[in-house]
Amino acid sequence: MGNVPNSDEWLVFLGTAIVFAVTPGPALLYVLARSLNGGRREGVLSALGNSIGTTGHVLAAAAGLSALLAASPALFLAVKFMGAAYLALLGLLAIRNRRGQVGTGPAASPGGTRSPVLQGVVVEMLNPKTALYFMALLPHFVHPERAAPSVVFCLLGVVVVVIALTTDVVVALTAGRLHRRLAADVRWQVRQRAGSGVVMIGLGTFVAVT
């Protein structure tokens, strides 16, 4: 452990990881929308999907792919625009399906499909916020002269995944409780689905232009 970041660096790193986790972004808002729409179970599964997607970023960083992404503005823009387009698509599907299965049975998901884990993986893998974190911040805590960069990236990445997953699960459980109280309100379900769709489209637009 002496070859990885020292105690002061650990404190700074943990601070950045917590800020990263609690700052609203595509993944966190996706979990919020799924939880409000489908309850705690869908929210937790969405959070699990996000964590799998974040793990993909960790492995990419350890393999040096983050450096490639950082060195290629065109590649980074492609990933960013794919993520923006996917969020916008989920939003459009949520609006289109806002009246489906209202008041009976499990609610339809924001994307019109019942695979919150898979959607969470895609949202997070195409999340420019996460890509920027691993490209711009994490390398500051990696010292090649102390230990193999891939090992340190994996160690730090696991910490990031745990903190982000914890945050997402808290959001899912909190929003899921609200869903249980309002699930019987047909107007609430329709408006919530439409609102989730608008938020996702707006978020996709924001990701595309920033």
Side-chain angles (χ1 to χ4, degrees), residues 120-139:
V121 172
V122 176
V123 167
E124 183 62 5
M125 285 297 296
L126 297 177
N127 185 354
K129 171 191 167 187
T130 304
L132 281 172
Y133 179 81
F134 281 98
M135 287 191 304
L137 286 177
L138 220 59

Side-chain angles (χ1 to χ4, degrees), residues 25-27 75-93 122-129 131 196-210:
L75 183 58
F76 177 77
L77 284 176
V79 172
K80 183 176 78 164
F81 287 135
M82 284 191 294
Y86 186 69
L87 287 169
L89 176 62
L90 291 181
L92 290 173
L93 290 174
V122 176
V123 167
E124 183 62 5
M125 285 297 296
L126 297 177
N127 185 354
K129 171 191 167 187
S196 295
V198 171
V199 169
M200 288 186 181
I201 293 174
L203 186 59
T205 303
F206 177 78
V207 167
V209 301
T210 55

